[in-house]
Amino acid sequence: MRRARQGTLREIEGFLSIEPVQVAELELGDEGAAGGAEGAEGAELRPGPGSAPVTCGMVFLLVRQAGVPIGTLLGRVPEGADPTEVLAGLARELPRGAPAEPSPRPPSASVVVATRERAGRLARALDSLLAQDHPDFEIVVVDNAPVTEETRELVERKYGERVRYVCEPVPGLAIAHNRGLAAVRGEVVAFTDDDVVADPRWLTELTAPFAADPRLGCATGLILPARLRTPAQVLLESHGGFAKGFTPRTYDPAHPPADEPLFPFTAGRFGSGANMAFRTSALRAVGGFDPATGAGTRARGGDDLYGFVRVLAGGHRLRYTPRALVWHHHRETWRDLETQAYGYGAGLTAYLTAILVNRPALLPALLARVPGGLAHARRLTAVRATDAPATDVRATGVRPADARPAGDGTAPAGVPGGHDSRTHPWPRRLSRLQRRGMLYGPVGYLRARRALRTAGWEAE
């Protein structure tokens, strides 16, 4: 026990030494897109949401071509150098894809934002949502178990008729999302969090695939860090954050992907709840989200994963599209990371328990995947070392998108946005907490169901 405490203290000491990283985005000019020697000409460098203009030092950079995200890199701007010139030069090393085809006209959409006592963050998110270029959408704010009138007053005072306010007195993220689902009018319902800033084309890019594919039931998008100011934010993002790469992909239950042996039960590979959309009729047909899952319940999480699997199990496709971008404000402290690690572990096994309780017919498929699932769990909670010393990263300046790690090659390090450079080791303390959460998840889910029944609710 004493040795474990000493190890944790050493990990925290190393954690506190992590330095902040600037966040920015670079729009390539025509010469830069062609990869010529004058790649900085025509390039436009902008700070990330809420960030200051780029100066010397480490920079986490999103690179765009014709407005479309094509990759991220981590680079150092030397003192006295021109940041645009340095970063545009590094951006030339990113692979170029074929020019993206124009998106079809998106269907009508509703955006649901569940929130609780975070009016300041909510205002920032709503400002970005109201700036969307989607031709036909509404915004619904669900105030979950409020203890003050702050959120209602914000919506009514600042946003008037542009945003609808709904109150859900029962705590729980899935319950709040179901309340929003019942209230929306759009053909597609999108969900995001109150701690994001949405790119102006986010909603259009997230919902347009539904117009192109009548079998599509769900879509997810790219999540990048809005700020990397604290050690917690930098550590999380250096191990992938929430992003899933820059390659669009469609998951079809009729044709399970060969490289996903746990499909569809590794739902975390599909995306995250801060950037997801469903065909409204498809999500309603499966009963929405399980109210005994999600933040605010004893299950601690798993509501988004449950929604993905239920829609896939209903025969619908799921589309990941990196053109649909939101900037997420990561948690800021070591304590936040501890809470997050435990909650992720608990949410993973809680959602699997929810799937089996609500869809017992899926049990044989899950049991067939148990051996692979155990190996996946070991990889998920492993103590992840650094890929290379930090000095190497600063020397090369760039981590190409979709790079793969050394080893068996089963999990691409580039999947989380191409910036999974692992320049800082993942603490053992966080891995242990995630494993403990995984053991607790089924118990937490059953307790959450019992609490709902006691309150007069049914879990589904």
Side-chain angles (χ1 to χ4, degrees):
M1 183 66 70
R2 181 179 179 182
R3 181 177 299 177
R5 283 199 299 268
Q6 290 175 339
T8 299
L9 290 174
R10 285 194 297 271
E11 288 181 334
I12 294 176
E13 182 179 355
F15 165 82
L16 292 174
S17 70
I18 297 175
E19 297 181 354
V21 176
Q22 301 171 84
V23 176
E25 54 182 322
L26 181 82
E27 176 69 45
L28 290 171
D30 292 339
E31 291 85 354
E38 303 298 326
E41 292 186 10
E44 180 185 358
L45 181 65
R46 300 184 295 269
S51 297
V54 176
T55 61
C56 62
M58 295 300 295
V59 181
F60 173 87
L61 185 73
L62 168 68
V63 181
R64 297 178 187 259
Q65 185 175 351
V68 176
I70 63 170
T72 56
L73 60 86
L74 182 66
R76 174 178 288 280
V77 176
E79 188 171 354
D82 181 338
T84 302
E85 182 177 349
V86 172
L87 296 173
L90 293 175
R92 290 200 304 270
E93 300 183 35
L94 288 174
R96 304 284 192 271
E101 296 183 2
S103 300
R105 178 181 173 86
S108 64
S110 302
V111 181
V112 173
V113 184
T115 187
R116 187 172 191 269
E117 305 301 336
R118 301 205 299 188
R121 295 185 181 186
L122 176 64
R124 182 178 58 203
L126 291 178
D127 289 343
S128 71
L129 293 173
L130 287 168
Q132 295 297 299
D133 67 358
H134 192 287
D136 181 14
F137 73 101
E138 64 172 351
I139 301 172
V140 177
V141 168
V142 181
D143 197 2
N144 190 211
V147 296
T148 72
E149 292 293 314
E150 189 176 9
T151 299
R152 179 193 293 272
E153 291 171 357
L154 169 73
V155 173
E156 293 178 351
R157 180 186 74 255
K158 185 175 181 180
Y159 300 102
E161 296 180 357
R162 296 180 297 168
V163 176
R164 276 200 288 151
Y165 173 90
V166 175
C167 182
E168 172 51 63
V170 179
L173 185 56
I175 292 174
H177 280 169
N178 284 342
R179 182 72 176 85
L181 176 63
V184 300
R185 305 173 184 135
E187 182 181 343
V188 173
V189 55
F191 298 89
T192 191
D193 293 345
D194 61 7
D195 56 0
V196 308
V197 174
D199 192 71
R201 287 194 57 79
W202 166 70
L203 189 59
T204 295
E205 299 292 357
L206 188 64
T207 58
F210 291 91
D213 183 357
R215 280 194 54 207
L216 194 69
C218 179
T220 61
L222 179 65
I223 303 174
L224 293 180
R227 297 175 181 174
L228 295 173
R229 296 181 178 176
T230 73
Q233 293 171 334
V234 176
L235 175 63
L236 179 64
E237 198 62 32
S238 80
H239 284 264
F242 297 94
K244 306 299 176 186
F246 290 86
T247 303
R249 185 169 187 181
T250 299
Y251 295 90
D252 189 344
H255 304 283
D259 61 340
E260 293 280 356
L262 304 182
F263 180 85
F265 298 108
T266 49
R269 297 290 293 272
F270 307 148
S272 300
N275 192 353
M276 63 182 182
F278 296 84
R279 195 176 300 275
T280 305
S281 59
L283 187 57
R284 286 173 174 167
V286 299
F289 303 94
D290 187 319
T293 60
T297 71
R298 297 183 182 182
R300 307 291 291 269
D303 52 306
D304 50 351
L305 309 184
Y306 176 88
F308 298 156
V309 173
R310 284 301 306 267
V311 168
L312 284 165
H316 299 279
R317 296 189 182 105
L318 184 151
R319 175 74 171 173
Y320 170 69
T321 173
R323 294 172 64 169
L325 166 66
V326 299
W327 300 88
H328 182 263
H329 285 79
H330 294 350
R331 300 187 188 189
E332 297 183 352
T333 69
W334 173 265
R335 181 66 65 185
D336 289 339
L337 286 182
E338 289 185 324
T339 301
Q340 193 170 37
Y342 187 86
Y344 281 175
L348 175 63
T349 52
Y351 109 81
L352 289 173
T353 306
I355 288 291
L356 295 182
V357 168
N358 296 315
R359 287 292 303 274
L362 292 176
L363 178 60
L366 180 62
L367 290 177
R369 292 162 173 77
V370 164
L374 292 175
H376 173 72
R378 285 194 296 269
R379 289 195 300 270
L380 186 67
T381 62
V383 178
R384 289 162 272 174
T386 58
D387 282 348
T391 51
D392 290 348
V393 176
R394 292 167 183 168
T396 60
V398 61
R399 288 287 180 177
D402 298 323
R404 304 189 72 90
D408 61 9
T410 57
V415 161
H419 55 273
D420 187 16
S421 52
R422 301 188 183 183
T423 52
H424 307 286
W426 189 253
R428 295 178 183 274
R429 166 72 175 168
L430 299 182
S431 294
R432 290 195 297 267
L433 284 170
Q434 194 166 8
R435 287 192 291 268
R436 291 177 192 172
M438 292 172 71
L439 293 174
Y440 166 80
V443 176
Y445 173 73
L446 296 175
R447 288 178 176 173
R449 283 179 64 92
R450 185 161 55 247
L452 287 173
R453 286 196 298 269
T454 301
W457 278 63
E458 291 297 329
E460 186 173 80

